[in-house]
Amino acid sequence: MAKRLIPTLNRVLVEKIVPPTKTTAGILLPEKSTKLKSGKVVAVGPGLPGKAGNRIPVAVKEGDTVVLPDYGGTQVFLCDKEYHLYRDEDIPGTLHD
Amino acid sequence: MAKRLIPTLNRVLVEKIVPPTKTTAGILLPEKSTKLKSGKVVAVGPGLPGKAGNRIPVAVKEGDTVVLPDYGGTQVFLCDKEYHLYRDEDIPGTLHD
Amino acid sequence: MAKRLIPTLNRVLVEKIVPPTKTTAGILLPEKSTKLKSGKVVAVGPGLPGKAGNRIPVAVKEGDTVVLPDYGGTQVFLCDKEYHLYRDEDIPGTLHD
Amino acid sequence: MAKRLIPTLNRVLVEKIVPPTKTTAGILLPEKSTKLKSGKVVAVGPGLPGKAGNRIPVAVKEGDTVVLPDYGGTQVFLCDKEYHLYRDEDIPGTLHD
Amino acid sequence: MAKRLIPTLNRVLVEKIVPPTKTTAGILLPEKSTKLKSGKVVAVGPGLPGKAGNRIPVAVKEGDTVVLPDYGGTQVFLCDKEYHLYRDEDIPGTLHD
Amino acid sequence: MAKRLIPTLNRVLVEKIVPPTKTTAGILLPEKSTKLKSGKVVAVGPGLPGKAGNRIPVAVKEGDTVVLPDYGGTQVFLCDKEYHLYRDEDIPGTLHD
Amino acid sequence: MAKRLIPTLNRVLVEKIVPPTKTTAGILLPEKSTKLKSGKVVAVGPGLPGKAGNRIPVAVKEGDTVVLPDYGGTQVFLCDKEYHLYRDEDIPGTLHD
């Protein structure tokens, strides 16, 4: 069965980050800290075709931690694992330490 | 009767892959593994005309295994076999082993 | 009375192909084989004007057997014979033996 | 009073052709032959401005017999005579003997 | 108080022509002759900005007698006199003797 | 507190002109003379970015007396004084003596 | 946990300025002075891709005090602190002393 999905055009494949609900010590975390929906980019498309035969670079890259929009995206399952496809323009930003 | 359909512009002709409902040994597969709709690209159009007399290359190619969108596409029958036509921009990605 | 219609811009004039309902030997054909709507292109326009004073070539040519979309097109009658006008981008593909 | 109307941009001024309802010999014509709405182009605009300071040529020319769309167009009266204004892209084709 | 209005972009300032309801000799004119709404162009804007730093020329000029669309336009009052502002693309044509 | 607002892109900041309701001698003015909504441009943005790295000049300039559209615009308060922000394309024209 | 958010494309990250409701001496401020919604830009994206492989500069920059639109924007939480993401074209202007 297929193991890898390469997105088309300016699409990006994202694995959602599920925020921990308790600390490693077992203490329950308040709901407040879970408000930002984020994910890890696992694959990006080649970009939309430009006017001059070029490709418009995709706004995020593989490995980026990205903020996810509240709505939209397409749910896909690869090896029973859930991923989401987004157009790069729908990704509001990237997260850094 | 016509045997071959060549799509126009950026359209692609896809034969849907029907996921097996049981293994070769006859064991029924759980419904979960069938969630990804996919197909095999059997023909692609020449691409949309670009601004400079060029053709914008189609995002997928003949033989590609593609993820299919949940909605859209045009059903066509060739020799009583069902195919679907999509605009390349509606194909979310390609699948690889 | 007018005998010839030359479509404007990227329009194409199509004569619908009515699929035979019985074989030459008189055997009734099952309805299934009639599912693909097709037509013969009898005239094409000069193409849409491009940005550089050029013409964007029309996606199909006179004599092509084309798949027809399920909806759309403009019905015209020339010498009491029915034809349909389509924009070339609405023609999903061409049929070949 | 004004006698001549010069359309702006890509507009064309059309005088509708009213199909005869009987032959010159007085025989009533069946309604079927009247199904194609057509008109004579009496004036065309200079064309839409192009990107390079040029004008995009209008798709039909003065004197052309044109097929008219079923809907749209603007009715104008010049010297109590009825005319219609159309954008050239709404004219589906020209008619020739 | 302000006496002159210079339209912006591709707008034109028009003074509507009220068709006479009777001849100079006092004979009432039938309503039919009043069907064409027209006006005199009293000012035009500099045109929309083009892609190359140029201005796209306005489709009508000061002094033109123009056909007016049935709807649209913005009513303005200058020194208690009524005028209308239109985008040049909404003016269907110019009238000439 | 902030004293100056510089609009972005092709926006213009306008202070509405409230027409006098009586003359300096105290005579009430009829409502008719107040029909034209106008304002004074107090700041303009740098213009929208053009295709060639340039800026498309804003259609009006600081100090201009402008006709205001009947609807639209964003109300802002600076030091308790009311201003309005408009896109330059929504300003129908400028007023001159 | 992530500490920095870099917006994509022409997005800007804004920390809203909450207007003081009383002076430092404890005197309550009237509601009138709070009417302008503003914020501090804490991060900007690289700009939208232009046609020539360039980037269209973002209309505001880090550190700018900006007027905020009445609606729109995406609420995000970073380290339990509230921020908002806007497209630069939705920011009506910048504020200066």
Side-chain angles (χ1 to χ4, degrees), chain E residues 18-82:
Chain E
V18 183
T21 53
K22 42 178 138 180
T23 64
T24 46
I27 298 157
L28 284 172
L29 287 164
E31 219 185 299
K32 228 175 176 179
S33 65
T34 71
K35 270 183 178 167
L36 186 65
K37 284 171 68 185
S38 63
K40 186 70 85 183
V41 175
V42 294
V44 301
L48 286 168
K51 304 262 162 175
N54 59 318
R55 289 273 165 183
I56 298 165
V58 177
V60 297
K61 60 181 196 298
E62 207 185 304
D64 275 357
T65 303
V66 291
V67 182
L68 296 178
D70 287 335
Y71 302 102
T74 304
Q75 194 189 44
V76 288
F77 282 85
L78 294 167
C79 307
D80 293 334
K81 202 165 159 185
E82 183 186 346

Side-chain angles (χ1 to χ4, degrees), chain C residues 1-9 11 46 48-53 55 74-78 80 85 87, chain D residues 32-36 51-52 54 56-60 65 67 70 88-97:
Chain C
M1 218 200 127
K3 295 209 181 61
R4 235 159 43 91
L5 186 158
I6 301 178
T8 51
L9 303 163
R11 289 184 178 90
L48 286 169
K51 305 261 163 174
R55 289 274 165 183
T74 304
Q75 194 189 44
V76 288
F77 283 84
L78 293 168
D80 294 333
L85 280 158
R87 294 272 188 173
Chain D
K32 228 175 175 178
S33 65
T34 70
K35 269 184 180 166
L36 185 65
K51 304 262 161 172
N54 59 318
I56 299 164
V58 176
V60 297
T65 303
V67 182
D70 287 335
D88 69 345
E89 72 237 14
D90 296 331
I91 301 286
T94 54
L95 291 165
H96 307 263
D97 291 315

Side-chain angles (χ1 to χ4, degrees), chain G residues 27-39:
Chain G
I27 299 157
L28 284 171
L29 286 165
E31 219 185 300
K32 229 175 176 179
S33 64
T34 70
K35 270 181 177 167
L36 185 65
K37 285 171 66 184
S38 64

